[in-house]
């Protein structure tokens, strides 16, 4: 069976399993697929945190602000749990949004006022 790595549910389950492993397993045999997944998950967390920080700053709706804060907390926790593995596996954490999320960020950052449905 082939997994879809871009499926959020798959990522959450895999990251939860990864975080449950003792740190000593971070030194176990690591495949290129493991490294690819971890790099992709790290980028996804970084993107979610940055977009959520923007939402928390710019939103006027308290529910949006609250959800954004929850996203920041959850994804920051996932980042912290992945860090020992990334370090052990030689994966450099992302420092910028990927191009697709940068475009979304730029568009949202340029907006102001209330969104009417």
């Amino acid at each position: 069976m082939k997994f879809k790595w871009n499926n959020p549910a798959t990522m959450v389950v895999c990251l939860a399993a990864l975080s449950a492993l003792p740190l000593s397993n971070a030194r176990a045999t690591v495949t290129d697929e493991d490294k690819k997944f971890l790099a992709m998950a790290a980028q996804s967390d970084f993107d979610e945190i940055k977009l959520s920080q923007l939402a928390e700053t710019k939103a006027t709706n308290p529910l949006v602000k609250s959800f954004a804060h929850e996203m920041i907390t959850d994804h920051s926790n996932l980042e912290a749990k992945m860090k020992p593995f990334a370090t052990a596996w030689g994966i450099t954490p992302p420092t910028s949004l990927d191009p697709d999320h940068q475009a979304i960020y730029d568009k949202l950052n340029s907006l102001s006022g209330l969104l009417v449905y």
Side-chain angles (χ1 to χ4, degrees), residues 82-117:
M82 286 189 294
K83 187 174 182 171
F85 294 92
T87 301
W89 298 353
I91 297 170
T92 303
T95 57
S96 62
L97 293 165
D98 66 37
D100 290 339
H101 286 91
Q102 184 65 56
I104 294 167
Y105 184 97
D106 292 342
K107 182 177 180 179
L108 293 173
N109 195 35
S110 70
L111 299 175
S112 63
L114 294 174
L115 176 62
V116 179
Y117 296 98

